[in-house]
Amino acid sequence: MQRLTRQRNAVFSAFSDAGRVLTAPEILEHARAIVPEISLSTVYRQVSLLLADGEIAKVELPGEPARYEVACKADPHDHASHGASDDAGHHHHHYFHCSQCGQVFLLHACPGPMHDLAPKGFQVTHHEVTLHGLCAACVDAGAKAPKTHPPH
Amino acid sequence: MQRLTRQRNAVFSAFSDAGRVLTAPEILEHARAIVPEISLSTVYRQVSLLLADGEIAKVELPGEPARYEVACKADPHDHASHGASDDAGHHHHHYFHCSQCGQVFLLHACPGPMHDLAPKGFQVTHHEVTLHGLCAACVDAGAKAPKTHPPH
DNA sequence: CTACGTGCAAAAAGTTTGCAATCGC
DNA sequence: GCGATTGCAAACTTTTTGCACGTAG
């Protein structure tokens, strides 16, 4: 991008605002708090630019619309765990999807290369792991109120 | 399903015909070989019925359109045994997605429960693993000729 | 001032649904 | 014949794009 517009700022700050993985409509919602007239098209366009710039990363889960998170260029927490990464230097994440509230959580671990799962002759370059279940908040809510409101 | 129509047969036999994981348009293509006038709507409707009957299973990979495969009938009659059973009892599949030819392959292994990847207090009920890379055929083709030509 | 960025509407792509005609049983 | 099933078109969802206007630099 070449110009610093209010919309771009609004889209980017939506992430720090929410502090979690967001879908495009969710970004729109947060960005509207700053620039009410922003359109969904602009959100998608800014997301594309931010992706190209490596500022954010796309998070795709099976059967879910795409989400986006602020890119973690050099993760200060967990690194150096997999020197011989199967991903040629690309730092990837795995996610937890709460089946109740629908929220997506970043996991801070990786099961490591899983070459052995692939048939012989296959070349594994990358893997994705998604966990499903209940997040701590929903487990907690469920423990107190067994009658949960209808899942989406 | 209550009626045995040519279309239903065509949709179902598309799987044995192809012997692999298929998207809805791919099913349509195969089914058209048997019932040329079949429509995509009918494919989707029959797929829904076959899913409800447990004859086929939906395969969703990150960022990919839904695919379907013939259901693995390891357990002929699944009772309503839902509950404490987590990963251990849930028979699921994992997949390999070839980044060159786009084909999806069923894996015959599972890394096992990965509860430890989730944050404390989270309840993991299910997990999905997707491997990406080159299938044997594409590795082979690439080794011989760098020309990228999907087998289609 | 000028080109990039924006909003809107329309288009793509994948999937679902309303409806009248059709066809299994 | 009855009603489930079909084909078509239209709706829907998520994302992209064409176009005229607006605005940053």
mmCIF file of all heavy atoms in Angstrom, chain B residues 14 18 20-31 40 43 67 102-103 152:
data_model
loop_
_atom_site.group_PDB
_atom_site.id
_atom_site.type_symbol
_atom_site.label_atom_id
_atom_site.label_comp_id
_atom_site.label_asym_id
_atom_site.label_seq_id
_atom_site.Cartn_x
_atom_site.Cartn_y
_atom_site.Cartn_z
ATOM 1 N N ALA B 14 -20.784 -42.808 -8.281
ATOM 2 C CA ALA B 14 -19.694 -41.905 -8.655
ATOM 3 C C ALA B 14 -18.488 -42.162 -7.763
ATOM 4 O O ALA B 14 -17.344 -42.077 -8.207
ATOM 5 C CB ALA B 14 -20.137 -40.450 -8.532
ATOM 6 N N ALA B 18 -14.889 -43.371 -8.979
ATOM 7 C CA ALA B 18 -13.655 -42.599 -8.842
ATOM 8 C C ALA B 18 -12.717 -43.200 -7.795
ATOM 9 O O ALA B 18 -11.509 -43.071 -7.901
ATOM 10 C CB ALA B 18 -13.990 -41.161 -8.474
ATOM 11 N N ARG B 20 -12.152 -42.189 -4.889
ATOM 12 C CA ARG B 20 -11.426 -41.229 -4.069
ATOM 13 C C ARG B 20 -12.362 -40.138 -3.545
ATOM 14 O O ARG B 20 -13.556 -40.181 -3.788
ATOM 15 C CB ARG B 20 -10.269 -40.622 -4.836
ATOM 16 C CG ARG B 20 -10.688 -39.995 -6.133
ATOM 17 C CD ARG B 20 -9.481 -39.498 -6.917
ATOM 18 N NE ARG B 20 -9.934 -38.675 -8.015
ATOM 19 C CZ ARG B 20 -10.155 -37.373 -7.916
ATOM 20 N NH1 ARG B 20 -9.989 -36.749 -6.777
ATOM 21 N NH2 ARG B 20 -10.575 -36.679 -8.953
ATOM 22 N N VAL B 21 -11.773 -39.208 -2.851
ATOM 23 C CA VAL B 21 -12.541 -38.135 -2.227
ATOM 24 C C VAL B 21 -12.942 -37.122 -3.303
ATOM 25 O O VAL B 21 -12.088 -36.641 -4.042
ATOM 26 C CB VAL B 21 -11.686 -37.471 -1.133
ATOM 27 C CG1 VAL B 21 -12.508 -36.535 -0.295
ATOM 28 C CG2 VAL B 21 -11.050 -38.539 -0.253
ATOM 29 N N LEU B 22 -14.226 -36.810 -3.379
ATOM 30 C CA LEU B 22 -14.736 -35.983 -4.468
ATOM 31 C C LEU B 22 -15.446 -34.723 -3.990
ATOM 32 O O LEU B 22 -16.119 -34.733 -2.966
ATOM 33 C CB LEU B 22 -15.733 -36.790 -5.302
ATOM 34 C CG LEU B 22 -15.234 -38.042 -6.013
ATOM 35 C CD1 LEU B 22 -16.402 -38.805 -6.615
ATOM 36 C CD2 LEU B 22 -14.237 -37.667 -7.090
ATOM 37 N N THR B 23 -15.324 -33.658 -4.762
ATOM 38 C CA THR B 23 -16.113 -32.456 -4.510
ATOM 39 C C THR B 23 -17.468 -32.639 -5.203
ATOM 40 O O THR B 23 -17.627 -33.527 -6.048
ATOM 41 C CB THR B 23 -15.433 -31.212 -5.112
ATOM 42 O OG1 THR B 23 -15.368 -31.375 -6.525
ATOM 43 C CG2 THR B 23 -14.041 -31.022 -4.555
ATOM 44 N N ALA B 24 -18.425 -31.775 -4.872
ATOM 45 C CA ALA B 24 -19.753 -31.890 -5.474
ATOM 46 C C ALA B 24 -19.701 -31.792 -7.004
ATOM 47 O O ALA B 24 -20.309 -32.611 -7.690
ATOM 48 C CB ALA B 24 -20.689 -30.844 -4.877
ATOM 49 N N PRO B 25 -18.986 -30.827 -7.570
ATOM 50 C CA PRO B 25 -18.903 -30.759 -9.031
ATOM 51 C C PRO B 25 -18.265 -32.003 -9.637
ATOM 52 O O PRO B 25 -18.645 -32.419 -10.736
ATOM 53 C CB PRO B 25 -18.030 -29.517 -9.280
ATOM 54 C CG PRO B 25 -18.248 -28.670 -8.079
ATOM 55 C CD PRO B 25 -18.395 -29.627 -6.942
ATOM 56 N N GLU B 26 -17.310 -32.600 -8.921
ATOM 57 C CA GLU B 26 -16.694 -33.833 -9.421
ATOM 58 C C GLU B 26 -17.692 -34.979 -9.402
ATOM 59 O O GLU B 26 -17.730 -35.808 -10.320
ATOM 60 C CB GLU B 26 -15.463 -34.186 -8.577
ATOM 61 C CG GLU B 26 -14.246 -33.320 -8.884
ATOM 62 C CD GLU B 26 -13.132 -33.490 -7.853
ATOM 63 O OE1 GLU B 26 -13.365 -34.142 -6.812
ATOM 64 O OE2 GLU B 26 -12.049 -32.956 -8.085
ATOM 65 N N ILE B 27 -18.510 -35.020 -8.364
ATOM 66 C CA ILE B 27 -19.545 -36.044 -8.297
ATOM 67 C C ILE B 27 -20.492 -35.867 -9.475
ATOM 68 O O ILE B 27 -20.859 -36.830 -10.148
ATOM 69 C CB ILE B 27 -20.339 -35.940 -6.978
ATOM 70 C CG1 ILE B 27 -19.437 -36.234 -5.787
ATOM 71 C CG2 ILE B 27 -21.529 -36.896 -6.983
ATOM 72 C CD1 ILE B 27 -20.081 -35.949 -4.442
ATOM 73 N N LEU B 28 -20.855 -34.607 -9.736
ATOM 74 C CA LEU B 28 -21.754 -34.314 -10.853
ATOM 75 C C LEU B 28 -21.179 -34.856 -12.144
ATOM 76 O O LEU B 28 -21.858 -35.532 -12.918
ATOM 77 C CB LEU B 28 -21.960 -32.800 -10.973
ATOM 78 C CG LEU B 28 -22.834 -32.361 -12.155
ATOM 79 C CD1 LEU B 28 -24.259 -32.860 -11.988
ATOM 80 C CD2 LEU B 28 -22.815 -30.843 -12.296
ATOM 81 N N GLU B 29 -19.897 -34.578 -12.349
ATOM 82 C CA GLU B 29 -19.232 -35.009 -13.576
ATOM 83 C C GLU B 29 -19.310 -36.524 -13.752
ATOM 84 O O GLU B 29 -19.682 -37.024 -14.817
ATOM 85 C CB GLU B 29 -17.771 -34.553 -13.507
ATOM 86 C CG GLU B 29 -17.016 -34.644 -14.808
ATOM 87 C CD GLU B 29 -15.559 -34.216 -14.607
ATOM 88 O OE1 GLU B 29 -15.315 -33.386 -13.697
ATOM 89 O OE2 GLU B 29 -14.697 -34.734 -15.318
ATOM 90 N N HIS B 30 -18.996 -37.253 -12.663
ATOM 91 C CA HIS B 30 -19.046 -38.711 -12.737
ATOM 92 C C HIS B 30 -20.471 -39.209 -12.905
ATOM 93 O O HIS B 30 -20.724 -40.148 -13.646
ATOM 94 C CB HIS B 30 -18.425 -39.319 -11.477
ATOM 95 C CG HIS B 30 -16.937 -39.295 -11.471
ATOM 96 N ND1 HIS B 30 -16.168 -40.326 -11.963
ATOM 97 C CD2 HIS B 30 -16.059 -38.350 -11.058
ATOM 98 C CE1 HIS B 30 -14.888 -40.015 -11.841
ATOM 99 N NE2 HIS B 30 -14.789 -38.824 -11.283
ATOM 100 N N ALA B 31 -21.412 -38.563 -12.211
ATOM 101 C CA ALA B 31 -22.802 -39.010 -12.269
ATOM 102 C C ALA B 31 -23.386 -38.767 -13.655
ATOM 103 O O ALA B 31 -24.233 -39.530 -14.131
ATOM 104 C CB ALA B 31 -23.630 -38.288 -11.206
ATOM 105 N N LEU B 40 -26.804 -30.311 -10.546
ATOM 106 C CA LEU B 40 -25.956 -30.128 -9.380
ATOM 107 C C LEU B 40 -26.800 -30.094 -8.105
ATOM 108 O O LEU B 40 -26.374 -30.603 -7.060
ATOM 109 C CB LEU B 40 -25.145 -28.835 -9.528
ATOM 110 C CG LEU B 40 -24.079 -28.556 -8.478
ATOM 111 C CD1 LEU B 40 -23.110 -29.720 -8.341
ATOM 112 C CD2 LEU B 40 -23.334 -27.281 -8.810
ATOM 113 N N VAL B 43 -27.358 -33.513 -6.984
ATOM 114 C CA VAL B 43 -26.137 -34.051 -6.380
ATOM 115 C C VAL B 43 -26.064 -33.610 -4.929
ATOM 116 O O VAL B 43 -25.882 -34.432 -4.028
ATOM 117 C CB VAL B 43 -24.880 -33.589 -7.139
ATOM 118 C CG1 VAL B 43 -23.626 -33.885 -6.340
ATOM 119 C CG2 VAL B 43 -24.816 -34.256 -8.503
ATOM 120 N N ARG B 67 -15.467 -31.946 0.369
ATOM 121 C CA ARG B 67 -15.376 -33.167 -0.415
ATOM 122 C C ARG B 67 -16.135 -34.251 0.324
ATOM 123 O O ARG B 67 -16.497 -34.105 1.490
ATOM 124 C CB ARG B 67 -13.920 -33.590 -0.614
ATOM 125 C CG ARG B 67 -13.154 -32.730 -1.583
ATOM 126 C CD ARG B 67 -11.703 -33.164 -1.662
ATOM 127 N NE ARG B 67 -10.957 -32.482 -2.703
ATOM 128 C CZ ARG B 67 -10.427 -31.278 -2.590
ATOM 129 N NH1 ARG B 67 -10.572 -30.613 -1.467
ATOM 130 N NH2 ARG B 67 -9.755 -30.737 -3.590
ATOM 131 N N GLY B 102 -3.730 -31.280 -6.489
ATOM 132 C CA GLY B 102 -4.952 -30.920 -5.772
ATOM 133 C C GLY B 102 -5.716 -32.107 -5.226
ATOM 134 O O GLY B 102 -6.726 -31.934 -4.550
ATOM 135 N N GLN B 103 -5.249 -33.306 -5.516
ATOM 136 C CA GLN B 103 -5.959 -34.484 -5.050
ATOM 137 C C GLN B 103 -5.826 -34.650 -3.541
ATOM 138 O O GLN B 103 -4.832 -34.226 -2.942
ATOM 139 C CB GLN B 103 -5.411 -35.720 -5.747
ATOM 140 C CG GLN B 103 -6.475 -36.478 -6.521
ATOM 141 C CD GLN B 103 -5.901 -37.646 -7.298
ATOM 142 O OE1 GLN B 103 -6.055 -38.787 -6.937
ATOM 143 N NE2 GLN B 103 -5.214 -37.308 -8.369
ATOM 144 N N HIS B 152 -5.243 -34.743 -15.357
ATOM 145 C CA HIS B 152 -6.697 -34.523 -15.408
ATOM 146 C C HIS B 152 -7.187 -34.425 -16.824
ATOM 147 O O HIS B 152 -6.600 -33.804 -17.635
ATOM 148 C CB HIS B 152 -7.046 -33.256 -14.633
ATOM 149 C CG HIS B 152 -8.410 -33.336 -14.034
ATOM 150 N ND1 HIS B 152 -9.424 -32.465 -14.341
ATOM 151 C CD2 HIS B 152 -8.910 -34.185 -13.152
ATOM 152 C CE1 HIS B 152 -10.490 -32.769 -13.675
ATOM 153 N NE2 HIS B 152 -10.219 -33.814 -12.934
#
